[in-house]
Amino acid sequence: MVAKLEEVPLGKRVLDCVGELGNVWLVGGAVRDLILGRSPLEVDLLVEGQLDEVLALLGGSQQRFDRFDTATVELEEGTVDIAASRSETYPHPGALPVVAPAAVSEDILRRDFTINAVAVNLDQPTFVAHPDALADLSEGIVRVLHDQSFADDPTRVWRCARYAVRLGFQVDQHTAELAAAAGPGMTSGERFGHELRLSLRETDPTQIFTLVQSLNPAALIEGFEPRPSGLSSALDLLPQDASRELTTLAACCAGVEMSLLTRWLDYMQFSADERDLVAAASRWVTGEPLRAADRRSQIGRAARGAPIEAVALAGGANARLWIEELRFVKLEIDGDDLIATGVARGPLIGSALEHTLDLTLDGEVRGRQEQIDAALTHVEQAVQGQ
């Protein structure tokens, strides 16, 4: 496993820096992935003793969390999470743990699932694992370590689904029964929101949502649709400058009552901009006028100002035309150009520019001078009609 870790840029950097210390272990998901022949998505280190020497050798940008004796190191090759070997106890369900120093063999028993309760020393040929870890990895089973696992940390329901879908594993029957009985406890919305975001970044979030709903329906908000229709075609339309994650979330939330949706997103600690985008895109308000449009200017009026994610979710040929072409059409003039010709400041300028943009989209005017002429004609007609 250590030899395989050398082939990963982040793993090589870690081995070059701290691989000979003797008290540093690769632990959790990276070990699991190496056993499965997969390239690790993360590198978590376990340190017997103090973190200071390891942090000094790794360098990079560092953030320490003294309460839990952990640290995060940002390197050019990626992120390394580091923790001192410890035990954990939970004062009450969903609480943050109280930690104490412990041996590696005890530390792995605080892990979430057997398949992650694995550790390999970076210097010595030493491997430590939960008794069921290798069998569960071989058989493709996600299994919690003990009956209080979901009570201690309800966010593990989300991780259970995420690992099962990502690895193509099955959830152990007893684990599924424990997940079904799990409540939120005292866990913060921010921690649930973090798990939701991680799920949205996976290859197929909708599979994860479907499994979460199967494991514990209460984990999802009322009206949430794990596998919304039309999502795949919307993601195919989505340009690179848009958010696949928020598009997916908006599609899943189309059936959620608006006030409930905004409160839930606030609880999950989404930013105001993210909340507003999901809320707007989930309502499909752009869809009907966009699909009904038969002129390029009508497409522009329907889509202009809407999040690009909402346009993609509306779908159809008009949505594609807007995303791939029409949204990039801009006027060569602005309000100052009209004022320079003697037009008074006021709302008529905005109306004239919008009308001229419509004509430009429809191909009826081209170039700066024709746009000025069209805008001035609109102003003149508007004044005469007053």
Side-chain angles (χ1 to χ4, degrees), residues 72-380:
T72 298
V73 178
E74 298 288 346
L75 301 172
E76 183 178 344
E77 297 84 354
T79 302
V80 181
D81 288 322
I82 307 173
S85 179
R86 66 195 193 273
S87 64
E88 293 180 345
T89 57
Y90 294 81
H92 52 77
L96 294 173
V98 176
V99 303
V104 172
S105 58
E106 185 176 355
D107 183 281
I108 63 168
L109 298 180
R110 71 177 178 81
R111 301 282 156 175
D112 46 11
F113 305 100
T114 60
I115 58 174
N116 294 331
V118 284
V120 60
N121 191 280
L122 294 184
D123 183 52
Q124 306 296 326
T126 307
F127 178 75
V128 177
H130 183 278
D132 294 325
L134 293 180
D136 286 347
L137 281 168
S138 176
E139 296 173 17
I141 294 174
V142 179
R143 185 196 313 272
V144 290
L145 271 66
H146 56 83
D147 286 0
Q148 284 296 113
S149 183
F150 293 122
D152 288 344
D153 184 357
T155 65
R156 286 173 176 163
V157 172
W158 283 86
R159 291 202 291 283
C160 179
R162 186 153 48 85
Y163 293 142
V165 170
R166 182 197 300 171
L167 301 173
F169 283 15
Q170 296 296 314
V171 178
D172 162 67
Q173 179 61 38
H174 184 56
T175 297
E177 293 169 357
L178 294 172
M186 300 295 289
T187 306
S188 69
E190 182 178 11
R191 290 174 63 194
F192 283 117
H194 177 68
E195 292 297 329
L196 173 58
R197 289 178 184 275
L198 290 176
S199 296
L200 287 166
R201 294 170 192 160
E202 293 283 333
T203 302
D204 188 353
T206 62
Q207 285 193 42
I208 298 173
F209 298 152
T210 300
L211 184 52
V212 167
Q213 186 179 64
S214 173
L215 291 171
N216 189 317
L220 295 173
I221 192 172
E222 182 180 355
F224 190 100
E225 173 52 58
R227 298 188 74 87
S229 61
L231 175 59
S232 178
S233 58
L235 293 177
D236 288 343
L237 275 178
L238 208 64
Q240 290 187 348
D241 59 338
S243 170
R244 294 180 66 86
E245 291 85 0
L246 295 181
T247 300
T248 300
L249 184 57
C252 293
C253 291
V256 179
E257 193 273 325
M258 178 60 80
S259 62
L260 179 61
L261 174 59
T262 55
R263 290 197 305 271
W264 183 63
L265 293 173
D266 285 340
Y267 166 73
M268 302 284 258
Q269 294 294 295
F270 281 77
S271 70
D273 287 345
E274 291 171 329
R275 177 200 65 209
D276 293 345
L277 189 153
V278 171
S282 69
R283 297 303 97 175
W284 299 85
V285 292
T286 304
E288 186 174 348
L290 182 59
R291 287 190 291 269
D294 57 14
R295 292 175 63 86
R296 292 159 67 98
S297 57
Q298 292 173 340
I299 295 173
R301 285 181 176 267
R304 199 175 301 135
I308 198 71
E309 293 81 0
V311 176
L313 285 170
N318 286 347
R320 181 176 296 278
L321 183 58
W322 170 257
I323 290 171
E324 295 181 353
E325 179 183 345
L326 299 186
R327 69 188 177 114
F328 301 110
V329 176
K330 307 295 182 185
L331 289 177
E332 297 180 33
I333 63 172
D334 57 23
D336 289 340
D337 293 307
L338 300 186
I339 292 171
T341 67
V343 178
R345 296 179 184 273
L348 189 54
I349 288 180
S351 173
L353 292 175
E354 186 172 26
H355 173 74
T356 304
L357 180 56
D358 286 346
L359 295 176
T360 302
L361 287 170
D362 288 335
E364 297 180 22
V365 299
R366 294 177 177 83
R368 174 182 171 81
Q369 188 56 54
E370 288 189 15
Q371 289 177 356
I372 290 177
D373 293 342
L376 292 177
T377 297
H378 177 81
V379 170
E380 182 180 353

